[in-house]
Amino acid sequence: MDAPVDPLQRLLIQQAVNDLVLRSAACVDSRDAAGLAALFTPDGELQRPSGTPLQGRAAIEQAYAQRPPGRLTRHLVTNLRVEVESPRRARAHSLVLLWSGSSDDAQGPQGRPARGAQQVGEFRDRLILTDEGWRLEQRIASFVLHLPEAAAG
């Protein structure tokens, strides 16, 4: 059984988990499939909004490496709440606003146009402290709302 978590330790865990959640979004947006996979435990699970579960680092890396080359994304992560369960376990819930576009579009003074449905989703994460640091043991990603492309344009 794990020892109780003192207030300073709780804050440090919350910050480490917060950093991990934000790094995961940055890896996806920068097309760093290997970096994303490394944020999971070796047998970690990622359930994408499509419902397709990816099991293990190799499956996660392979799936994200196959994203279309011109696809641009920005995951704006907000309302992150971390529940510290023990010195080695935590859960996190965050909201995500996903914007997409294409690098094939010309970049103007306001950037490139957003394309596709703009979506609000959530990450429900289970995390564990490993020898490598905090890692995602399970992420369930889902969409909650969307603005269809026709309505956005």
Side-chain angles (χ1 to χ4, degrees):
M1 182 166 182
D2 287 321
V5 180
D6 68 59
L8 177 58
Q9 186 179 29
R10 181 174 305 282
L11 285 173
L12 292 171
I13 292 169
Q14 289 171 329
Q15 186 60 54
V17 169
N18 183 72
D19 291 348
L20 180 64
V21 170
L22 295 178
R23 263 197 332 268
S24 71
C27 284
V28 173
D29 292 341
S30 67
R31 306 184 61 78
D32 182 2
L36 174 65
L39 298 177
F40 283 80
T41 59
D43 61 346
E45 179 184 345
L46 170 58
Q47 291 184 21
R48 298 192 294 181
S50 65
T52 306
L54 302 170
Q55 192 74 47
R57 288 178 174 166
I60 293 166
E61 182 175 353
Q62 180 181 27
Y64 279 83
Q66 293 177 359
R67 292 178 61 202
R71 182 165 188 234
L72 295 175
T73 59
R74 290 299 179 265
H75 291 76
L76 308 177
V77 181
T78 185
N79 295 31
L80 177 57
R81 293 187 321 270
V82 177
E83 178 186 334
V84 177
E85 297 179 336
S86 76
R88 297 185 37 82
R89 294 198 165 275
R91 291 185 183 270
H93 178 254
S94 53
L95 301 180
V96 181
L97 178 58
L98 173 60
W99 288 78
S100 300
S102 174
S103 62
D104 295 336
D105 291 328
Q107 183 165 340
Q110 296 177 319
R112 293 178 171 89
R115 300 213 177 268
Q118 306 314 309
Q119 300 165 312
V120 176
E122 17 181 63
F123 293 149
R124 293 190 182 276
D125 298 325
R126 195 171 68 220
L127 304 102
I128 187 167
L129 182 60
T130 71
D131 291 341
E132 298 174 292
W134 283 93
R135 292 295 181 262
L136 290 154
E137 194 171 44
Q138 181 186 54
R139 165 166 284 172
I140 300 172
S142 61
F143 289 123
V144 179
L145 300 166
H146 75 279
L147 180 63
E149 184 172 12

